[in-house]
Short mmCIF file of all heavy atoms in Angstrom, two decimals:
data_model
loop_
_atom_site.label_atom_id
_atom_site.label_comp_id
_atom_site.label_asym_id
_atom_site.label_seq_id
_atom_site.Cartn_x
_atom_site.Cartn_y
_atom_site.Cartn_z
N VAL A 76 27.35 27.37 -70.18
CA VAL A 76 27.81 27.57 -71.56
C VAL A 76 28.67 26.42 -72.07
O VAL A 76 28.95 26.34 -73.26
CB VAL A 76 28.61 28.89 -71.70
CG1 VAL A 76 27.77 30.08 -71.26
CG2 VAL A 76 29.92 28.82 -70.94
N GLU A 77 29.08 25.50 -71.18
CA GLU A 77 30.11 24.54 -71.53
C GLU A 77 29.70 23.56 -72.63
O GLU A 77 30.53 23.18 -73.47
CB GLU A 77 30.58 23.77 -70.30
CG GLU A 77 29.52 22.99 -69.55
CD GLU A 77 28.80 23.79 -68.48
OE1 GLU A 77 28.92 25.04 -68.47
OE2 GLU A 77 28.12 23.18 -67.65
N HIS A 78 28.43 23.13 -72.68
CA HIS A 78 28.04 22.16 -73.70
C HIS A 78 28.03 22.80 -75.09
O HIS A 78 28.48 22.19 -76.06
CB HIS A 78 26.66 21.58 -73.40
CG HIS A 78 26.60 20.83 -72.10
ND1 HIS A 78 25.42 20.36 -71.57
CD2 HIS A 78 27.58 20.48 -71.22
CE1 HIS A 78 25.68 19.73 -70.43
NE2 HIS A 78 26.98 19.82 -70.19
N LEU A 79 27.51 24.01 -75.19
CA LEU A 79 27.52 24.71 -76.47
C LEU A 79 28.95 25.02 -76.89
O LEU A 79 29.32 24.82 -78.06
CB LEU A 79 26.71 26.00 -76.40
CG LEU A 79 26.77 26.89 -77.65
CD1 LEU A 79 26.23 26.15 -78.87
CD2 LEU A 79 26.01 28.19 -77.42
N MET A 80 29.77 25.50 -75.97
CA MET A 80 31.16 25.81 -76.30
C MET A 80 31.89 24.55 -76.76
O MET A 80 32.69 24.58 -77.70
CB MET A 80 31.87 26.43 -75.10
CG MET A 80 31.39 27.83 -74.74
SD MET A 80 31.58 29.01 -76.10
CE MET A 80 33.36 28.95 -76.38
N SER A 81 31.61 23.44 -76.11
CA SER A 81 32.22 22.17 -76.50
C SER A 81 31.80 21.78 -77.91
O SER A 81 32.63 21.36 -78.73
CB SER A 81 31.81 21.09 -75.49
OG SER A 81 32.45 19.86 -75.76
N ALA A 82 30.51 21.94 -78.21
CA ALA A 82 30.00 21.59 -79.54
C ALA A 82 30.61 22.47 -80.63
O ALA A 82 30.98 21.99 -81.71
CB ALA A 82 28.48 21.70 -79.57
N LEU A 83 30.72 23.77 -80.36
CA LEU A 83 31.31 24.68 -81.34
C LEU A 83 32.77 24.32 -81.60
O LEU A 83 33.22 24.26 -82.74
CB LEU A 83 31.19 26.12 -80.85
CG LEU A 83 29.77 26.70 -80.81
CD1 LEU A 83 29.74 28.02 -80.06
CD2 LEU A 83 29.21 26.88 -82.22
N PHE A 84 33.51 24.05 -80.52
CA PHE A 84 34.91 23.66 -80.68
C PHE A 84 35.01 22.33 -81.41
O PHE A 84 35.82 22.16 -82.33
CB PHE A 84 35.58 23.57 -79.31
CG PHE A 84 37.07 23.39 -79.38
CD1 PHE A 84 37.92 24.48 -79.28
CD2 PHE A 84 37.63 22.13 -79.55
CE1 PHE A 84 39.29 24.32 -79.35
CE2 PHE A 84 39.01 21.96 -79.62
CZ PHE A 84 39.84 23.06 -79.52
N GLY A 85 34.18 21.36 -81.01
CA GLY A 85 34.25 20.03 -81.59
C GLY A 85 33.87 19.97 -83.05
O GLY A 85 34.31 19.07 -83.77
N THR A 86 33.05 20.91 -83.51
CA THR A 86 32.66 20.96 -84.92
C THR A 86 33.48 21.96 -85.72
O THR A 86 33.20 22.20 -86.89
CB THR A 86 31.17 21.31 -85.06
OG1 THR A 86 30.90 22.53 -84.35
CG2 THR A 86 30.29 20.20 -84.49
N GLY A 87 34.47 22.58 -85.08
CA GLY A 87 35.38 23.46 -85.80
C GLY A 87 34.88 24.87 -86.02
O GLY A 87 35.40 25.58 -86.88
N ALA A 107 26.07 17.53 -75.77
CA ALA A 107 26.32 18.47 -76.87
C ALA A 107 25.73 17.97 -78.18
O ALA A 107 25.80 18.67 -79.20
CB ALA A 107 27.83 18.68 -77.03
N VAL A 111 25.47 19.77 -81.96
CA VAL A 111 26.27 19.25 -83.07
C VAL A 111 25.37 18.97 -84.28
O VAL A 111 25.72 19.32 -85.41
CB VAL A 111 27.03 17.98 -82.64
CG1 VAL A 111 27.65 17.28 -83.85
CG2 VAL A 111 28.12 18.33 -81.63
N TYR A 179 35.04 13.47 -81.94
CA TYR A 179 34.17 14.25 -81.08
C TYR A 179 32.70 13.89 -81.35
O TYR A 179 31.93 13.64 -80.42
CB TYR A 179 34.40 15.75 -81.29
CG TYR A 179 33.54 16.58 -80.36
CD1 TYR A 179 33.96 16.88 -79.07
CD2 TYR A 179 32.27 17.02 -80.76
CE1 TYR A 179 33.15 17.58 -78.20
CE2 TYR A 179 31.46 17.73 -79.89
CZ TYR A 179 31.90 18.01 -78.61
OH TYR A 179 31.08 18.69 -77.75
N ILE A 183 32.12 11.49 -78.13
CA ILE A 183 32.02 12.42 -77.01
C ILE A 183 30.71 13.19 -76.98
O ILE A 183 30.09 13.36 -75.93
CB ILE A 183 33.20 13.44 -77.06
CG1 ILE A 183 34.55 12.72 -77.04
CG2 ILE A 183 33.09 14.43 -75.90
CD1 ILE A 183 34.79 11.86 -75.83
N SER A 184 30.23 13.66 -78.12
CA SER A 184 29.17 14.68 -78.15
C SER A 184 27.85 14.23 -77.51
O SER A 184 27.11 15.06 -77.00
CB SER A 184 28.91 15.12 -79.60
OG SER A 184 28.32 14.08 -80.36
N VAL A 237 34.82 14.70 -70.17
CA VAL A 237 35.67 15.15 -71.28
C VAL A 237 34.95 16.23 -72.08
O VAL A 237 35.53 17.25 -72.44
CB VAL A 237 36.06 13.96 -72.17
CG1 VAL A 237 36.69 14.44 -73.47
CG2 VAL A 237 37.02 13.03 -71.43
N LEU A 238 33.67 16.01 -72.37
CA LEU A 238 32.87 16.99 -73.11
C LEU A 238 32.90 18.34 -72.41
O LEU A 238 33.14 19.38 -73.04
CB LEU A 238 31.43 16.46 -73.23
CG LEU A 238 30.41 17.25 -74.06
CD1 LEU A 238 29.29 16.30 -74.51
CD2 LEU A 238 29.80 18.41 -73.30
N ASP A 239 32.66 18.34 -71.10
CA ASP A 239 32.71 19.58 -70.33
C ASP A 239 34.07 20.25 -70.43
O ASP A 239 34.18 21.48 -70.59
CB ASP A 239 32.41 19.31 -68.86
CG ASP A 239 30.93 19.21 -68.55
OD1 ASP A 239 30.11 19.57 -69.41
OD2 ASP A 239 30.59 18.78 -67.43
N SER A 240 35.12 19.44 -70.33
CA SER A 240 36.48 20.00 -70.34
C SER A 240 36.82 20.62 -71.68
O SER A 240 37.51 21.66 -71.73
CB SER A 240 37.50 18.92 -69.97
OG SER A 240 37.31 18.50 -68.64
N VAL A 241 36.37 20.04 -72.78
CA VAL A 241 36.59 20.63 -74.09
C VAL A 241 35.97 22.02 -74.14
O VAL A 241 36.57 22.98 -74.62
CB VAL A 241 36.02 19.74 -75.21
CG1 VAL A 241 36.05 20.47 -76.56
CG2 VAL A 241 36.82 18.44 -75.32
N GLY A 242 34.75 22.15 -73.60
CA GLY A 242 34.10 23.45 -73.56
C GLY A 242 34.84 24.44 -72.69
O GLY A 242 35.04 25.61 -73.07
N ASP A 243 35.29 24.00 -71.52
CA ASP A 243 36.04 24.89 -70.63
C ASP A 243 37.36 25.33 -71.25
O ASP A 243 37.74 26.50 -71.20
CB ASP A 243 36.30 24.20 -69.29
CG ASP A 243 35.05 24.07 -68.43
OD1 ASP A 243 34.07 24.79 -68.69
OD2 ASP A 243 35.06 23.26 -67.48
N SER A 245 38.16 25.60 -74.30
CA SER A 245 37.98 26.49 -75.46
C SER A 245 37.95 27.96 -75.06
O SER A 245 38.09 28.84 -75.91
CB SER A 245 36.70 26.13 -76.22
OG SER A 245 35.54 26.55 -75.50
#
Side-chain angles (χ1 to χ4, degrees):
V76 302
E77 59 271 14
H78 298 173
L79 174 60
M80 291 301 300
S81 184
L83 292 169
F84 189 96
T86 54
V111 169
Y179 182 86
I183 302 300
S184 69
V237 168
L238 185 157
D239 278 348
S240 294
V241 171
D243 287 343
S245 74

